[in-house]
C-alpha cells in the first residue's frame, strides 16, 4: 500500500458497524490510507458501500467501531473543524434565513474590526467564486451550482487542512460542473489544504485526483490505491474499477 | 385584486348581519330583552370604554394571559427542543403527554382552585397548562424536521450543543414553532375568559358573566364584541411579528403565481 510521507490525515484500520434490525452489520472493515499535504485523493466505490460514512468518520462526526483517524498525528475523537466536510446535499446545509455572505461566515466568531475583516474575506471568496453580485441573496434565490459554490466558500474560509467533498458535482449540470472543477483546482493550487473527493464519475477522478482509493465489497475494504490516475490510461483505470464492481 | 375585493365584501357581510340584527330587534322580530338593538350594544360598549372599566378589565385579563402564555412558551420550546433532538427524552415523556394532552384544560380548574386558590396564580397556571401542549408538540415536530445535514455541518464547524441549538436548530424549526404559538395564543384568550368566569372578581370574563347575571344584556354583548376585537387584534399582531421574523420563510414558499 502506497502513501505519502508526512501524512496530514491518517486513516488506520478503520471499521464501522451499525446497529440494525438484523444485528450489527459491518459497513467498513480495516480501511487504511493516508492523505498527504496538498494531496487530492479520489474515493470511489459502489453506491452504498460506505464512502459517506467514511467521510463522516474522517471529519470526526462519527466514531469508528475499530481503528482511528489522526490529523497530523493526533487522533480525531470529536468533530474536527480543520477537516471540513461539504455534504452531498449541500442545499440542505445552507441556512435559508441567512444571506449567502452570512452563510459563508456561519459559525465563525469574531467581533468589531475582526468581524469586518472576516466579512471582507467572505466577500473576496464569493467574488473568487463568481458570486460577488449574489452575496446579499438568500440560498433559495440561487441556482444549484451557485449554492454549491457558497457551500464550498463556507468550507474554504475556515482554511481547513483537509477538505472532504461528498459527490460535490452530482446535482449540477455539465457546464456548471466543469466550471466548479476548474475553480476547485485553481483554489487548491492557491490554498494549502488537501482534498478528498467522493465521486462516481471516472473522468472526474482522473481529472482531479492524484491518487484514487478504491473501496469494494460488503463490508467495504480498500481494494486498491492507484497512484497518479492521470498517467494511467482511461481504459486501464476503467478495467480496474469494473473488476472491483464485478466483485462487489 | 380578487382577494382584496372578497375581503371588502366580507366586511360588508359583517355590517349586513349587524344591520339585520338591528332591524329584527327594533321591529321586535327578535326579543329585544335577549337581543338588544346593535346601537344599544354600541352605546353600552362606549360607556364602558369611557369610564375605563373595559380597558382595566382587558388589561388585567391580557396581563395574566400573557404571563401564562410566556411561561408555556419558555417551557414548551425548551422541553420541545430537547425532546425533538433526543429520542430517549421523547420516549420518556410520550406516555405522559398522550395521557395529559387530550384532557380538556377546564377539567383541571377544580384541582388548580384546590391547590392555588382563586386568584391570578390559579388562572395563570391553567392558561399556561393549556398553551403548553400545542407549543411543545409543534416544537418537537419542528426540531425533528430540521435537516440532519444542517446539524452535522454545525457540528463539523465546531459549534457546541447550545450554540448549535440557538443558531441552527431553533431558527430552522421556527416556522413550525410559530404555528404552535399561534394556536396557543387563541387558547390563551379562551382559557383567560373561562377561568375568570369560573372564579374571579376582575377581568373581562368576570365582567361578561356579571353583566349576564345582573341582566345588563347590552353590556354583555358589548363585552363579547370587545373580546372579539381583542382576539382579532391579537391575531393580527401575531401575524405582523410572524411576517417580520419569518420573512425568509414566507418569501421562500411564496407561490410565484399568487
Amino acid at each position: 500500500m502506497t502513501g505519502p510521507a508526512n501524512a496530514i490525515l491518517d486513516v488506520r484500520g478503520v471499521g464501522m458497524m451499525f446497529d440494525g434490525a438484523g444485528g450489527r452489520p459491518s459497513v467498513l472493515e480495516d480501511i487504511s490510507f493516508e492523505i498527504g499535504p496538498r494531496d487530492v485523493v479520489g474515493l470511489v466505490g459502489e453506491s452504498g458501500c460506505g464512502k459517506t460514512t467514511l467521510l463522516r468518520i474522517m471529519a470526526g462526526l462519527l466514531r469508528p467501531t475499530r481503528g482511528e483517524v489522526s490529523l497530523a498525528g493526533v487522533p480525531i475523537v470529536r468533530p474536527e473543524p480543520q477537516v471540513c466536510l461539504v455534504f452531498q446535499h449541500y442545499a440542505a446545509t445552507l441556512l435559508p434565513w441567512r444571506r449567502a455572505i452570512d452563510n459563508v461566515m456561519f459559525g465563525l466568531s469574531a467581533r468589531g474590526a475582526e468581524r469586518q475583516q472576516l466579512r471582507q474575506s467572505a466577500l473576496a471568496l464569493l467574488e473568487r467564486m463568481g458570486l460577488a453580485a449574489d452575496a446579499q441573496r438568500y440560498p433559495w434565490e440561487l441556482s444549484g451550482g451557485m449554492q454549491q459554490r457558497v457551500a464550498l466558500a463556507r468550507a474554504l474560509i475556515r482554511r481547513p487542512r483537509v477538505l472532504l467533498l461528498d459527490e460535490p458535482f452530482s446535482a449540477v449540470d455539465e457546464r456548471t460542473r466543469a466550471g466548479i472543477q476548474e475553480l476547485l483546482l485553481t483554489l487548491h493550487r492557491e490554498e494549502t489544504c488537501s482534498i478528498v473527493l467522493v465521486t462516481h464519475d471516472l473522468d472526474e477522478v482522473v481529472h482531479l485526483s492524484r491518487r484514487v482509493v478504491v473501496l469494494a465489497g460488503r463490508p467495504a475494504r480498500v481494494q486498491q490505491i492507484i497512484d497518479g490516475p492521470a498517467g494511467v490510461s482511461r481504459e486501464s483505470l476503467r478495467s480496474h474499477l469494473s473488476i472491483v464492481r464485478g466483485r462487489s | 385584486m380578487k382577494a382584496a375585493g372578497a375581503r371588502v365584501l366580507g366586511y360588508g357581510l359583517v355590517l349586513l348581519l349587524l344591520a339585520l340584527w338591528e332591524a329584527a330587534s327594533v321591529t321586535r322580530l327578535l326579543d329585544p330583552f335577549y337581543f338588544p338593538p346593535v346601537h344599544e350594544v354600541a352605546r353600552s360598549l362606549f360607556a364602558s370604554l369611557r369610564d375605563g372599566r373595559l380597558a382595566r378589565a382587558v388589561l388585567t385579563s391580557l396581563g395574566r394571559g400573557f404571563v401564562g402564555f410566556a411561561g408555556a412558551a419558555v417551557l414548551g420550546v425548551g422541553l420541545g427542543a430537547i425532546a425533538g433532538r433526543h429520542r430517549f427524552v421523547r420516549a420518556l415523556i410520550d406516555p405522559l403527554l398522550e395521557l395529559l394532552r387530550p384532557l380538556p384544560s377546564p377539567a383541571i380548574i377544580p384541582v388548580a382552585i384546590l391547590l392555588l386558590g382563586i386568584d391570578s396564580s390559579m388562572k395563570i397556571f391553567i392558561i399556561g397548562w393549556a398553551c403548553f401542549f400545542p407549543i411543545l408538540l409543534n416544537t418537537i415536530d419542528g426540531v425533528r424536521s430540521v435537516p440532519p445535514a444542517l446539524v452535522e455541518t454545525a457540528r463539523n464547524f465546531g459549534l457546541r450543543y447550545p450554540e448549535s441549538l440557538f443558531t441552527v436548530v431553533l431558527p430552522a424549526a421556527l416556522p413550525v414553532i410559530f404555528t404552535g404559538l399561534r394556536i396557543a395564543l387563541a387558547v390563551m384568550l379562551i382559557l383567560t375568559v373561562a377561568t375568570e368566569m369560573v372564579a374571579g372578581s376582575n377581568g373581562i370574563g368576570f365582567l361578561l358573566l356579571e353583566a349576564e347575571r345582573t341582566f345588563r344584556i347590552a353590556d354583555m354583548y358589548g363585552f363579547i364584541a370587545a373580546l372579539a376585537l381583542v382576539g382579532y387584534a391579537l391575531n393580527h399582531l401575531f401575524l405582523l411579528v410572524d411576517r417580520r421574523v419569518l420573512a425568509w420563510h414566507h418569501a421562500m414558499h411564496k407561490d410565484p403565481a399568487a
Side-chain angles (χ1 to χ4, degrees), chain A residues 1 31 34 55 72 81 86 88 121 176 198 217 246:
Chain A
M1 197 170 293
I31 306 280
E34 294 172 351
L55 286 191
V86 178
Q88 182 183 2
S121 306
T176 311
V198 162

Side-chain angles (χ1 to χ4, degrees), chain B residues 121-221:
Chain B
S121 54
M122 178 277 286
K123 290 164 194 135
I124 290 168
F125 174 77
I126 298 290
I127 295 161
W129 173 279
C131 292
F132 174 71
F133 292 100
I135 297 173
L136 174 72
L137 294 173
N138 277 279
T139 305
I140 292 175
D141 276 355
V143 168
R144 288 187 71 187
S145 67
V146 175
L150 204 59
V151 184
E152 291 254 272
T153 302
R155 284 183 66 214
N156 185 214
F157 289 171
L159 268 72
R160 302 245 174 243
Y161 184 86
E163 205 181 346
S164 151
L165 192 68
F166 286 109
T167 58
V168 176
V169 176
L170 286 177
L174 212 53
V176 189
I177 295 175
F178 260 55
T179 305
L181 291 174
R182 194 174 172 193
I183 297 169
L185 197 66
V187 168
M188 175 200 95
L189 200 59
I190 295 169
L191 266 297
T192 302
V193 174
T195 50
E196 287 170 354
M197 283 179 163
V198 172
S201 55
N202 54 21
I204 183 89
F206 170 76
L207 279 194
L208 211 163
L209 199 67
E210 189 198 34
E212 186 264 336
R213 283 179 177 161
T214 51
F215 298 106
R216 288 180 289 115
I217 305 301
D219 275 0
M220 182 189 81
Y221 281 115

Side-chain angles (χ1 to χ4, degrees), chain A residues 75-131:
Chain A
I76 294 176
V77 291
R78 61 177 65 88
E80 175 51 69
Q82 290 193 66
V83 182
C84 209
L85 172 58
V86 178
F87 287 85
Q88 182 183 2
H89 305 290
Y90 48 83
T93 70
L94 296 176
L95 311 177
W97 60 92
R98 283 177 171 233
R99 296 171 194 275
I101 188 161
D102 298 317
N103 259 288
V104 174
M105 292 165 65
F106 166 62
L108 296 171
S109 50
R111 288 177 195 284
E114 206 183 322
R115 182 142 194 94
Q116 202 51 41
Q117 207 171 358
L118 190 67
R119 205 169 180 81
Q120 289 304 323
S121 306
L123 203 58
L125 206 49
L126 283 173
E127 202 173 333
R128 197 74 196 73
M129 301 270 180
L131 291 171

